[in-house]
Amino acid sequence: MPANKSARETPRLSEAEWEVIKPLWKHGPMAARDIYKDIPDKFGWAYKTVKTMLARLVKKGAVTYDQIGNSYLYRPVYSREEMTRSATGTFIQRVFDGAWSPLLAHFVEHVNREELEVLKRELARLEKKEPKNRGE
Amino acid sequence: MPANKSARETPRLSEAEWEVIKPLWKHGPMAARDIYKDIPDKFGWAYKTVKTMLARLVKKGAVTYDQIGNSYLYRPVYSREEMTRSATGTFIQRVFDGAWSPLLAHFVEHVNREELEVLKRELARLEKKEPKNRGE
DNA sequence: TGACATCGCCTACAAATGTAGGCTATAATC
DNA sequence: GATTATAGCCTACATTTGTAGGCGATGTCA
């Protein structure tokens, strides 16, 4: 069976690393200084801290860069979609042993109306094509 | 105003700690040796490793114990429900900035039929009482 | 009543993570 | 051209996590 095209192995990020890569997904390629500025103040990180995170993200292969003059323009290697997908899988496995039910229960207790609409749409879409012995 | 009973602050667990506390939720109070036996072989941990995790869980206040003779019967301080609830909140915040949509998208791509039924039931239940002064 | 098997307690040690600082080269400014 | 603000590179250091081991006390079995 051919490899699933969407199944690239993504690096695992620490919490702080997630905060540093988010601006890159939001704005595209950025200089370290701009990433720094884009990170919410509530984290209270020094610029140097952000730089350290960027270095680690590069080392992990989650971020790469192009050199422009004497500085770098950083950009993500994986889409946010890819990264969140695998992080979610890992999380679900760790916390729920792979079972979604508790997460769903949590969900229905906390969603707002808008999110609920999204979900209903997704469900409708799913029902329609219904397909598929998914879950083997 | 009385404290909200469901809002206890729970300790944060590492991945390995999650695996060690799970048997306690599943079976109730257990001796370290039994917890050790209940942890899936795939982790390949030594008994001593499990003991270390238990000590850390106790130190974090996630687990406590009653002494029986010269050994301990460990038990969880928080319900699995409580722990998963807060872990989920933290995760959602970290990875999705608090937005559920990407998680839902992930969900509809991966659930199996059974989980889907659970969700539909939950939704029905939600619709019924509908109202919505939820979120205080 | 010894000899083991276990118990819990304390210690160890590398890797990952959080949180920067110092140093040198270069770019921009007067 | 000299000064200064930045850039990237390398280093630092405490804490958390993964992964146990050693040791003395106690329970267990012959």
Side-chain angles (χ1 to χ4, degrees), chain A residues 31-133:
Chain A
R33 184 64 60 177
D34 295 324
I35 294 171
Y36 167 67
K37 286 183 193 142
D38 202 66
I39 293 172
D41 290 341
K42 67 173 172 185
F43 293 104
W45 293 334
Y47 171 66
K48 291 290 199 173
T49 300
V50 174
K51 284 302 309 275
T52 298
M53 290 308 155
L54 282 168
R56 289 180 183 169
L57 285 164
V58 167
K59 186 161 171 217
K60 286 184 175 183
V63 160
T64 186
Y65 56 82
D66 301 298
Q67 186 150 12
I68 303 294
N70 76 324
S71 78
Y72 294 168
L73 271 192
Y74 294 91
R75 59 190 160 81
V77 169
Y78 302 90
S79 69
R80 181 161 188 163
E81 174 64 20
E82 284 176 292
M83 293 297 289
T84 57
R85 182 179 296 273
S86 51
T88 300
T90 300
F91 173 77
I92 294 292
Q93 193 54 51
R94 160 159 74 264
V95 172
F96 300 115
D97 278 326
W100 283 81
S101 323
L103 183 58
L104 298 181
H106 183 115
F107 170 74
V108 300
E109 293 297 324
H110 290 283
V111 263
N112 57 35
R113 199 172 301 270
E114 193 184 348
E115 297 279 353
L116 196 58
E117 287 312 313
V118 170
L119 177 60
K120 287 200 279 199
R121 262 200 307 284
E122 292 286 353
L123 278 178
R125 197 165 60 75
L126 186 65
E127 300 265 276
K128 200 154 49 192
K129 58 181 195 179
E130 179 37 18
K132 188 168 201 198
N133 38 357

Side-chain angles (χ1 to χ4, degrees), chain A residues 12 15 22 94 97, chain B residues 12 15 22 94 97 111:
Chain A
R12 296 182 58 176
E15 293 197 39
K22 280 176 187 172
R94 160 159 74 264
D97 278 326
Chain B
R12 295 182 57 176
E15 293 197 37
K22 280 177 187 172
R94 161 158 74 264
D97 278 327
V111 262

